[in-house]
Amino acid sequence: MRLAIPLNYAANFKEAADQVVAFENAGADIVWVAEAYGFDAPSQMGYLAARTERIQIGAGILPIYSRTPALLAQTAAGIDALSDGRMILGLGASGPQVIEGWHGVAYDHPLERTREIIDICRRVWRREVLTNDGLYMLPLPLERGTGLGKPLKLLTRPVRAEIPIWVASLGPKNVEMTAEVADGWLPILFVPELAGRVWGDALAKGAANRAAGLGRLQICAGGLLAVGDDVEGLRDLARPSVALYVGGMGARGKNFYNSLVQRYGFEAEAARIQDLYLAGHKQEAAAAVPAELLEKTSLIGPESYVKERIEAFKESGVTVLNVMPFDADPAGLVARVKEWIS
């Protein structure tokens, strides 16, 4: 297994970058840079490219709606050049709250858009003359523009013609598409013991149509990390974020994260969290998150227990362990875990 760290984008970025350097020295393989409606991810990724030497720099994730496919490809190629081939392009649909509320773009056709964007990006990096007939019309036809557009290819030469593309997906059809065409998968709220039951069929269907040249689908999952005999209480730190996703990321019946938790078997709990959250009772919603869910989506406890959790993630197919370390010496903890998984 490789080891990844999600960057704390809510913190002071330069201080967070100092921590990434320490994590790189401790053996971390990937850092993920998120983008919601704060600072953009690519500018931070460029800064990390200048500050680091070995660690891969992943977008975790760039929303598919806020940039054109060509710009996504250009951005990935630019960061890949700055980092000497260490870029990972993470893509995802985000959610309608951000896409329609912040970007003012209709949240439509997420599955088709993702597939089309992946294909366009790969053709851009191969410096093919770019045309497309689908959701994205390239060049733009006369009836939708001036008629002066012409097919173009990337002006500069990328460091790599095959930049890895990872997709954040949860629904069966989207996971199937991910397993078919992406290099990696970025699930959230991943319970290794239940992953096969929830996603097994979708992953198998996608893998059956996967091109041999893509190799094995990489899977990145994990959670909060703390090691010790008195750290179990740290699991509660995840309550507000889990409640936000399960309760606040969408209306009733249209929340991907809520549906996932229901598929795990927490139907009543998921409904209660959403009812409380949408009613404005966020603290009560956080308190309603099942302790079992917090335990199964984290790596917190004595060393022997954390090693058992790592093995559970590995057995479920996870190839990259994604951890948020809580320790007086977080880099030292990362170094310990790196040794355990190597």
Side-chain angles (χ1 to χ4, degrees), residues 189 223-224 233-245 286 289 293-295 297-298 300 324 326:
L189 297 176
L224 295 179
L234 291 176
R235 292 175 187 149
D236 290 330
L237 293 173
R239 286 187 178 277
S241 63
V242 174
L244 168 63
Y245 279 97
V289 175
L293 180 63
L294 295 174
E295 178 181 358
T297 55
S298 64
I300 294 176
M324 290 161 276
F326 281 84

Side-chain angles (χ1 to χ4, degrees), residues 38 71 127 168 250 287 340:
L71 180 57
R127 300 189 73 234
W340 297 343

Side-chain angles (χ1 to χ4, degrees), residues 30-36 41-42 45 56-67 71-73 75-77 79-80 86-94 114 117-118 121-122 125 160 163-169 178 182-187 218 220:
I30 302 171
V31 59
W32 296 108
V33 183
E35 180 178 284
M45 295 171 74
Q56 288 185 280
I57 303 168
I61 46 89
L62 294 184
I64 59 173
Y65 295 95
S66 56
R67 298 169 176 84
L71 180 57
L72 284 166
T75 300
I79 296 171
D80 205 49
R86 292 185 283 134
M87 166 69 178
I88 298 175
L89 177 57
L91 298 173
S94 185
T114 304
I117 287 168
I118 291 172
C121 283
R122 286 173 172 159
W125 300 328
R160 292 184 294 174
I163 297 171
I165 298 177
W166 293 52
V167 176
S169 55
T178 300
D183 296 281
W185 178 36
L186 293 163
Q218 300 297 299
C220 180

Side-chain angles (χ1 to χ4, degrees), residues 5-340:
I5 312 286
L7 186 71
N8 182 1
Y9 62 89
N12 177 283
F13 177 71
K14 291 187 177 180
E15 292 179 1
D18 291 340
Q19 191 72 76
V20 171
V21 174
F23 289 147
E24 178 181 55
N25 292 334
D29 300 289
I30 302 171
V31 59
W32 296 108
V33 183
E35 180 178 284
Y37 46 96
F39 294 143
D40 73 297
S43 61
Q44 299 179 68
M45 295 171 74
Y47 184 80
L48 290 176
R51 291 288 311 277
T52 58
E53 297 180 356
R54 180 192 58 80
I55 197 168
Q56 288 185 280
I57 303 168
I61 46 89
L62 294 184
I64 59 173
Y65 295 95
S66 56
R67 298 169 176 84
T68 67
L71 180 57
L72 284 166
Q74 286 176 273
T75 300
I79 296 171
D80 205 49
L82 287 173
S83 63
D84 296 320
R86 292 185 283 134
M87 166 69 178
I88 298 175
L89 177 57
L91 298 173
S94 185
Q97 294 91 334
V98 173
I99 299 307
E100 296 187 356
W102 181 249
H103 294 291
V105 177
Y107 191 86
D108 61 359
H109 307 292
L111 181 65
E112 296 86 348
R113 287 188 187 280
T114 304
R115 181 185 287 273
E116 209 164 297
I117 287 168
I118 291 172
D119 175 63
I120 291 171
C121 283
R122 286 173 172 159
R123 288 191 281 135
V124 167
W125 300 328
R126 293 195 297 265
R127 300 189 73 234
E128 295 181 9
V129 176
L130 197 59
T131 62
N132 198 68
D133 184 12
L135 292 171
Y136 299 97
M137 299 295 292
L138 300 171
L140 199 65
L142 175 62
E143 63 271 17
R144 291 176 57 187
T146 65
L148 298 176
K150 67 176 185 178
L152 299 169
K153 67 178 180 180
L154 187 65
L155 185 64
T156 46
R157 293 188 178 276
V159 171
R160 292 184 294 174
E162 296 181 354
I163 297 171
I165 298 177
W166 293 52
V167 176
S169 55
L170 291 177
K173 290 295 184 183
N174 209 352
V175 170
E176 179 181 339
M177 182 273 298
T178 300
E180 179 185 346
V181 302
D183 296 281
W185 178 36
L186 293 163
I188 192 172
L189 297 176
F190 187 91
V191 176
E193 292 85 354
L194 302 176
R197 187 179 81 189
V198 172
W199 289 301
D201 288 345
L203 290 170
K205 288 178 182 177
N209 296 313
R210 186 175 178 83
L214 282 176
R216 178 186 178 187
L217 179 71
Q218 300 297 299
I219 302 175
C220 180
L224 295 179
L225 167 70
V227 179
D229 295 326
D230 57 350
V231 296
E232 285 83 356
L234 291 176
R235 292 175 187 149
D236 290 330
L237 293 173
R239 286 187 178 277
S241 63
V242 174
L244 168 63
Y245 279 97
V246 176
M249 289 292 192
R252 290 179 179 86
K254 296 183 178 180
N255 182 321
F256 313 125
Y257 312 100
N258 190 283
S259 297
L260 172 61
V261 172
Q262 290 187 46
R263 291 163 71 193
Y264 281 153
F266 300 103
E267 293 92 346
E269 294 88 341
R272 176 169 170 73
I273 292 167
Q274 188 168 56
D275 288 344
L276 288 167
Y277 203 97
L278 295 180
H281 305 303
K282 296 181 180 180
Q283 290 185 343
E284 292 89 339
V289 175
E292 182 182 355
L293 180 63
L294 295 174
E295 178 181 358
K296 296 298 185 182
T297 55
S298 64
L299 302 100
I300 294 176
E303 180 176 318
S304 60
Y305 175 79
V306 172
K307 287 181 176 179
E308 290 177 3
R309 296 306 301 148
I310 291 173
E311 191 60 29
F313 278 94
K314 185 176 182 179
E315 289 180 358
S316 71
V318 171
T319 60
V320 179
L321 189 67
N322 197 36
V323 298
M324 290 161 276
F326 281 84
D327 193 87
D329 178 16
L333 179 56
V334 166
R336 289 173 66 191
V337 174
K338 177 66 175 180
E339 183 179 349
W340 297 343

